[in-house]
Amino acid sequence: MSTLSPTAKALLIFASLIVILAGIKAASTIMVPFFLSGFIAIACGPLILWMSKYRIPRWLSITLVILLIVVFGFMLAGLVGQSLAEFRENMPQYREKLSGEFTWVVNQLARFNIHVDKDLIISYLDPGMAMSMVTNFLSGMGGVLSNLFLILLTVIFMLFEAEGIPRRLHIALSDPQMKMHHIDRFIQSVNSYLAIKTVVSLATGLLAGTWLYILGVDHFLLWGVLAFLFNYIPNIGSIIAAVPAVLMALVQYGGGEAGLVALGFVVINTVMGNVVEPRFMGRGLGLSTLVVFLSLIFWGWLLGSVGMLLSVPLTMIVKIALESREESRWLAILLSSDGEAVLDEAKHRHASEEPAKLP
């Protein structure tokens, strides 16, 4: 590499990256459960550590955590499956009502000499099309959960091996202090992100479901669960979750009630996303908004629905890896929301490591 010109080196790195991404894409059926298992194990770490403070044996704490995951997963799958089945049964009735609503809108626009094709509008705003986004997402998640046994086994082995990994890394790595600094920083960042995001998403789902229940919207539990799940998807997840609920209110009650539903979603997501979440999460992620949005598209294309949910933690891995080397730190600065913070941290790390190099 040292004998290559900068252009040849850049082309070689780019070609290697393409080969790696193509391999991940081809092996996505294996990689997706592995990534999901890794992040579940990291998220469960603080809970197991908390149990250990009360002298609960590690094997018992891991068993309790796995049982909690299984029970919650089956309850969520049952609720969503039942609500989706009821929605499909009522789909012809909803489509007929929605057609009548759009006929009234088209007639009102025609009075102002604005002519719109009713069939074209219905084809774009058909409740079946709106639900197809939700169904595709849930189908992707369901495809991953079909490997539930494999995921749970991997999580169990990861949790049992978690205690011995730091010691082995210290032995195996050539520069263990620096590597362990990045590993600890990554795990701490992911733990913080997943914990805060889970609490905020749960609160968002509860508030959305309660608001829809007050307004009398059908399948309010399903829309609340969707608001909880889609809130893990940065930027556009809350918008996607609101579309089916707004259309449901439009079919049931008309434009006024649909406007109230949309207003409720806007208020809930504005408060939770712009006030509550930044207050607790702060600048811990260090990723720019544009990078978060682009990472959502990229990881969703590469790994499907799970990639969309894990887009931020996966991008954090890339950013932390780029920060660890001087020649790639400029890329980490481009990914960050504050480039000066990356440089200040690098200077601080070099300053703390300098005395160790002195004889």
Side-chain angles (χ1 to χ4, degrees):
M1 290 288 289
S2 59
T3 60
L4 297 176
S5 65
T7 303
K9 186 184 298 184
L11 289 175
L12 181 59
I13 293 174
F14 181 74
S16 303
L17 182 62
I18 294 298
V19 172
I20 293 172
L21 293 178
I24 294 176
K25 181 73 171 176
S28 59
T29 54
I30 299 176
M31 299 298 295
V32 168
F34 177 76
F35 282 140
L36 192 59
S37 301
F39 284 104
I40 290 175
I42 292 174
C44 294
L47 185 58
I48 294 175
L49 183 62
W50 176 77
M51 290 183 183
S52 65
K53 294 180 181 178
Y54 295 92
R55 300 183 181 277
I56 298 177
R58 188 171 183 85
W59 67 267
L60 180 58
S61 61
I62 293 176
T63 302
L64 293 175
V65 168
I66 296 299
L67 287 176
L68 181 63
I69 293 173
V70 172
V71 171
F72 178 76
F74 277 111
M75 288 177 58
L76 189 64
L79 174 63
V80 172
Q82 181 181 358
S83 298
L84 281 176
E86 294 176 358
F87 185 88
R88 291 192 184 98
E89 290 180 2
N90 298 327
M91 180 67 72
Q93 181 182 355
Y94 293 150
R95 185 177 284 111
E96 183 180 353
K97 289 183 178 181
L98 189 63
S99 177
E101 292 291 337
F102 285 134
T103 300
W104 181 86
V105 172
V106 169
N107 292 334
Q108 293 300 315
L109 292 175
R111 295 175 57 184
F112 297 95
N113 202 27
I114 302 175
H115 300 284
V116 181
D117 187 355
K118 182 191 70 173
D119 295 332
L120 182 63
I121 296 178
I122 294 177
S123 66
Y124 282 107
L125 296 179
D126 180 41
M129 289 191 62
M131 282 301 297
S132 67
M133 297 183 296
V134 178
T135 305
N136 291 337
F137 178 82
L138 294 176
S139 298
M141 293 298 297
V144 175
L145 293 179
S146 63
N147 296 320
L148 181 62
F149 184 70
L150 174 62
I151 293 174
L152 289 178
L153 277 181
T154 308
V155 170
I156 292 172
F157 287 126
M158 286 182 174
L159 292 175
F160 274 112
E161 291 288 326
E163 284 186 322
I165 289 177
R167 182 177 60 84
R168 279 176 283 179
L169 286 173
H170 274 290
I171 297 173
L173 297 176
S174 58
D175 192 357
Q177 293 299 329
M178 185 184 73
K179 299 294 191 304
M180 288 302 298
H181 167 77
H182 290 292
I183 292 172
D184 292 341
R185 177 165 162 256
F186 162 69
I187 294 177
Q188 182 180 2
S189 299
V190 173
N191 275 331
S192 175
Y193 171 77
L194 290 178
I196 295 172
K197 197 67 176 177
T198 299
V199 173
V200 172
S201 299
L202 184 60
T204 301
L206 289 174
L207 290 173
T210 303
W211 177 244
L212 295 173
Y213 172 75
I214 293 173
L215 295 177
V217 179
D218 288 346
H219 313 300
F220 64 91
L221 286 176
L222 175 61
W223 313 134
V225 171
L226 288 178
F228 163 69
L229 291 176
F230 276 76
N231 198 64
Y232 281 95
I233 301 176
N235 300 324
I236 66 172
S238 57
I239 300 174
I240 297 174
V243 171
V246 172
L247 285 177
M248 189 77 259
L250 180 64
V251 167
Q252 277 189 263
Y253 302 108
E257 197 82 4
L260 287 176
V261 171
L263 178 63
F265 269 87
V266 169
V267 171
I268 292 171
N269 288 293
T270 299
V271 173
M272 301 303 295
N274 297 328
V275 178
V276 177
E277 186 173 315
R279 180 176 180 180
F280 290 99
M281 196 170 293
R283 297 167 55 189
L285 294 178
L287 298 174
S288 70
T289 305
L290 177 61
V291 169
V292 170
F293 179 72
L294 294 178
S295 67
L296 169 68
I297 299 174
F298 173 76
W299 292 111
W301 164 79
L302 190 65
L303 299 175
S305 302
V306 174
M308 297 174 71
L309 292 177
L310 300 180
S311 60
V312 171
L314 289 171
T315 307
M316 285 166 51
I317 296 177
V318 176
K319 178 174 173 288
I320 293 172
L322 292 173
E323 288 177 3
S324 63
R325 300 185 64 85
E326 185 71 31
E327 56 269 23
S328 61
R329 191 166 296 137
W330 64 276
L331 284 172
I333 293 174
L334 292 178
L335 295 178
S336 65
S337 58
D338 186 0
E340 294 181 358
V342 177
L343 291 177
D344 292 341
E345 183 177 352
K347 293 178 181 178
H348 176 73
R349 184 172 65 251
H350 287 314
S352 62
E353 292 172 357
E354 190 65 30
K357 298 179 180 179
L358 294 176

